[in-house]
Amino acid sequence: MDHYTAEAYERVRQRIVGHIDRLEKYGKQGSGDVHNVKNWRRFGAGFAWDPEVYIDIMKNPDMTDAELMSALRGTEARFMKKWQAIDSMPMHHKVALRTGGDLGLRTPVDVWIETRKRIYDRFGFNPGNGPANLNAKSQINEIIHQGKPNPGKSALAQAGTNNQVLLAINQARQDEVILHRKGQNLLEKPDQIKSLIGASSKQQADALEESIIGQIDRFKQATDYERTKIQNGIFNDGLNWFVRDSDEATIDAFSSTRAIDKQEAFKAIGNSLYYTDPQTGLKQTIAESAALGFVTGVKPEYNPNNFSFDALSREGKKALKLVGNFGSLKLKEIGDNFDDFVDHVDNTRLAAMDPITTAVNTGIKNIVKNPVGAAVGAASLVEPESVKSLLQGKPGEAALQTVVGAGIGSTAQAALPRIGNFAMRLAPRAGAMVLSKVAPLAPGLGRAGMAYAAYEMADAVVEGTTGQKIHQHTEDELNKTQKKDPEYFSQNIGSIMPF
């Protein structure tokens, strides 16, 4: 910790201690987090253990009290959410933030830095919200986290019958693997740490050691629990069927050493990749399947032929977009051939994409001959960007862009002002063409949305052919581009240009 960081830390530390002392003396004087002594103690202790991760606070140590509490809570909440691979999975620090109670807050900064160093030297990490104490391995099913059913409406909460969940909780109690069970000593109470305030860093570290060892042991029991392994194994098996990562031989979304950046992509895949049990016919996302595996203690034998991916769902689109953002992640079934991918998705959902599928499978000749006409039949589902990529000879890229979807219906009204009169002049001709072909597929798109869809398709064709969008061309330049392929240009662009 450099001089400036230490100075900022000291100012914030004293502010937190001031709030604790004030509330201890006078009690609550209002509502909200800033008037809750437990919150200042808990989140303040987390700050003392690992202040470096609280970037916003260290940059602005004089923020208001409300902002300070929000930043203390929000930093932890953001890390917890980002580490989740299964949606709404509870997160558990290996060593609790409140370990040592107010000790870190009431110890001078130079002494506390030395205490932290001694803890690190003994255990290889410090408590706090850093990745050594809170990471992908910290994802713990609520059944062994607090010995309760998973809350909310997540895949975890929906897994199994009430009786199955109760049986799983009782089994966890018998196996003594519930993390928040009696007998844990966090050395957090004021009377426990009173003699340590003002003690040497060695004395503080020695006193904290037993508590930390006990928590590490509990964490290992929970993460090594057979049902935890079943749950995580089911989810990982699904991930590794669908995607590969050049950075690691096998993806483990629950590894303590994995980076945080790809977890969001894995979460989206978990909510859109389905497995159908060949015996029961039950179709579940791999997140749901993993949650059920924890409750029942049974891991299904995956048959790769029974996977399906919902490419058109919100989560499916998100998954493909996020996977595309990482150079190391590749969809195993796509490669450069969209047809291979289509074999493994729900073909009934992709039926409207036949024009693009055909274009990829047979080359780009068909779509070059009549790109607007070929794509407009699926205008509500096909990204104009995919048409542009096809015209540029990038079928693999087009496949990804196609299944992401444009959401034209929701964006048309917002985009029309940007297009202005040009789109409205297109509407009578292009809108009529779209209306006849899209109406059965997308009745909610509306005439304005359809006119905009046609414009976007035409724009993609022009850019794919010339490298520039329609609005970047003068009328004269557009006419000149006809020389490259007069027949194609006349049929597709000239026929709907309102010049």
Side-chain angles (χ1 to χ4, degrees):
M1 189 183 294
D2 61 38
H3 169 73
Y4 297 104
T5 304
E7 187 178 80
Y9 166 78
E10 180 67 10
R11 282 153 67 185
V12 175
R13 178 188 75 81
Q14 291 183 12
R15 287 181 63 188
I16 295 172
V17 170
H19 283 297
I20 293 172
D21 290 345
R22 173 180 56 81
L23 290 166
E24 284 286 304
K25 184 175 182 178
Y26 298 109
K28 273 191 174 185
Q29 295 172 308
S31 60
D33 286 342
V34 296
H35 299 289
N36 188 320
V37 68
K38 289 184 178 180
N39 284 346
W40 284 115
R41 278 208 157 105
R42 182 192 183 283
F43 296 111
F47 173 76
W49 275 119
D50 198 359
E52 288 87 351
V53 303
Y54 295 84
I55 297 172
D56 293 342
I57 295 175
M58 301 305 276
K59 284 183 178 179
N60 182 20
D62 298 317
M63 61 177 60
T64 68
D65 291 341
E67 290 171 338
L68 177 58
M69 176 53 72
S70 178
L72 288 169
R73 295 194 65 146
T75 298
E76 178 182 323
R78 283 194 298 275
F79 279 126
M80 285 188 165
K81 188 171 184 178
K82 286 184 177 181
W83 278 120
Q84 292 171 343
I86 294 181
D87 205 11
S88 301
M89 175 73 82
M91 300 293 295
H92 182 85
H93 295 88
K94 185 189 297 186
V95 176
L97 299 186
R98 61 188 188 278
T99 301
D102 295 353
L103 182 60
L105 292 169
R106 296 184 183 277
T107 298
V109 61
D110 56 336
V111 178
W112 185 242
I113 288 174
E114 184 61 29
T115 300
R116 291 198 311 155
K117 183 178 183 303
R118 289 177 180 274
I119 296 293
Y120 184 88
D121 289 343
R122 292 186 194 185
F123 298 103
F125 73 98
N126 277 317
N129 284 306
N133 192 49
L134 180 69
N135 52 56
K137 198 165 187 174
S138 301
Q139 301 173 79
I140 304 291
N141 195 293
E142 190 69 5
I143 288 173
I144 57 169
H145 182 224
Q146 298 195 73
K148 299 177 181 179
N150 287 279
K153 297 181 180 180
S154 65
L156 295 164
Q158 304 304 312
T161 64
N162 290 339
N163 189 52
Q164 286 175 318
V165 172
L166 289 175
L167 287 172
I169 291 173
N170 288 333
Q171 187 63 56
R173 286 175 179 156
Q174 291 177 30
D175 296 333
E176 295 188 338
V177 293
I178 295 173
L179 285 163
H180 290 272
R181 64 183 189 270
K182 292 181 179 180
Q184 183 166 252
N185 177 25
L186 300 182
L187 205 70
E188 63 174 324
K189 296 177 181 178
D191 60 342
Q192 290 179 305
I193 63 169
K194 188 175 182 179
S195 63
L196 294 174
I197 297 173
S200 69
S201 61
K202 183 180 184 304
Q203 290 171 320
Q204 289 182 345
D206 288 346
L208 289 165
E209 184 173 337
E210 183 180 349
S211 172
I212 292 174
I213 289 173
Q215 292 181 69
I216 291 174
D217 288 344
R218 283 197 178 201
F219 188 80
K220 189 174 189 303
Q221 290 171 354
T223 54
D224 285 350
Y225 191 46
E226 185 60 27
R227 288 178 189 247
T228 300
K229 291 180 178 179
I230 289 172
Q231 168 193 271
N232 298 354
I234 291 171
F235 191 84
N236 283 335
D237 285 350
L239 279 182
N240 284 283
W241 173 84
F242 186 67
V243 70
R244 65 178 181 273
D245 191 344
S246 60
D247 290 342
E248 49 191 317
T250 302
I251 296 172
D252 182 357
F254 306 89
S255 168
S256 61
T257 59
R258 78 161 305 100
I260 198 171
D261 56 346
K262 297 170 186 172
Q263 293 295 90
E264 187 179 6
F266 298 155
K267 185 189 297 185
I269 293 171
N271 290 331
S272 52
L273 179 61
Y274 287 81
Y275 184 75
T276 302
D277 188 303
Q279 268 72 48
T280 65
L282 179 65
K283 183 177 180 179
Q284 293 181 303
T285 64
I286 60 170
E288 293 169 335
S289 183
L292 183 60
F294 186 99
V295 171
T296 62
V298 177
K299 182 180 180 182
E301 292 295 329
Y302 274 155
N303 180 341
N305 293 323
N306 291 335
F307 279 112
S308 62
F309 181 70
D310 190 349
L312 298 181
S313 67
R314 180 178 179 180
E315 287 293 304
K317 293 175 185 178
K318 181 179 179 181
L320 290 169
K321 182 177 181 180
L322 290 171
V323 168
N325 289 341
F326 294 103
S328 64
L329 290 180
K330 303 293 181 186
L331 297 177
K332 280 189 173 180
E333 303 304 326
I334 280 193
D336 287 327
N337 192 334
F338 189 49
D339 191 42
D340 289 342
F341 178 65
V342 171
D343 286 344
H344 292 278
V345 297
D346 186 343
N347 288 313
T348 60
R349 296 292 307 278
L350 291 175
M353 291 167 133
D354 283 345
I356 294 296
T357 308
T358 301
V360 176
N361 292 340
T362 62
I364 64 171
K365 288 184 178 179
N366 290 344
I367 205 161
V368 166
K369 288 180 180 178
N370 189 12
V372 177
V376 82
S380 65
L381 301 173
V382 176
E383 284 278 15
E385 281 291 308
S386 67
V387 179
K388 184 177 75 176
S389 293
L390 285 170
L391 292 169
Q392 294 172 343
K394 301 175 183 177
E397 187 177 306
L400 275 173
Q401 292 162 339
T402 296
V403 293
V404 168
I408 288 172
S410 62
T411 61
Q413 293 297 339
L416 278 173
R418 175 175 61 83
I419 305 301
N421 291 333
F422 189 77
M424 299 318 295
R425 290 161 66 193
L426 275 171
R429 189 175 300 173
M433 178 174 63
V434 182
L435 195 63
S436 65
K437 302 206 176 178
V438 179
L441 299 172
L445 197 58
R447 288 177 180 268
M450 293 173 187
Y452 176 63
Y455 173 85
E456 286 284 273
M457 286 298 174
D459 200 26
V461 172
V462 172
E463 187 175 3
T465 307
T466 69
Q468 288 184 292
K469 293 182 175 292
I470 288 176
H471 73 270
Q472 294 172 319
H473 288 273
T474 65
E475 181 177 351
D476 184 56
E477 287 173 335
L478 275 173
N479 290 333
K480 287 179 181 178
T481 59
Q482 293 185 53
K483 294 179 180 178
K484 293 187 177 182
D485 191 334
E487 181 182 359
Y488 139 72
F489 192 86
S490 176
Q491 289 177 351
N492 295 288
I493 306 303
S495 63
I496 63 170
M497 288 295 102
F499 296 122

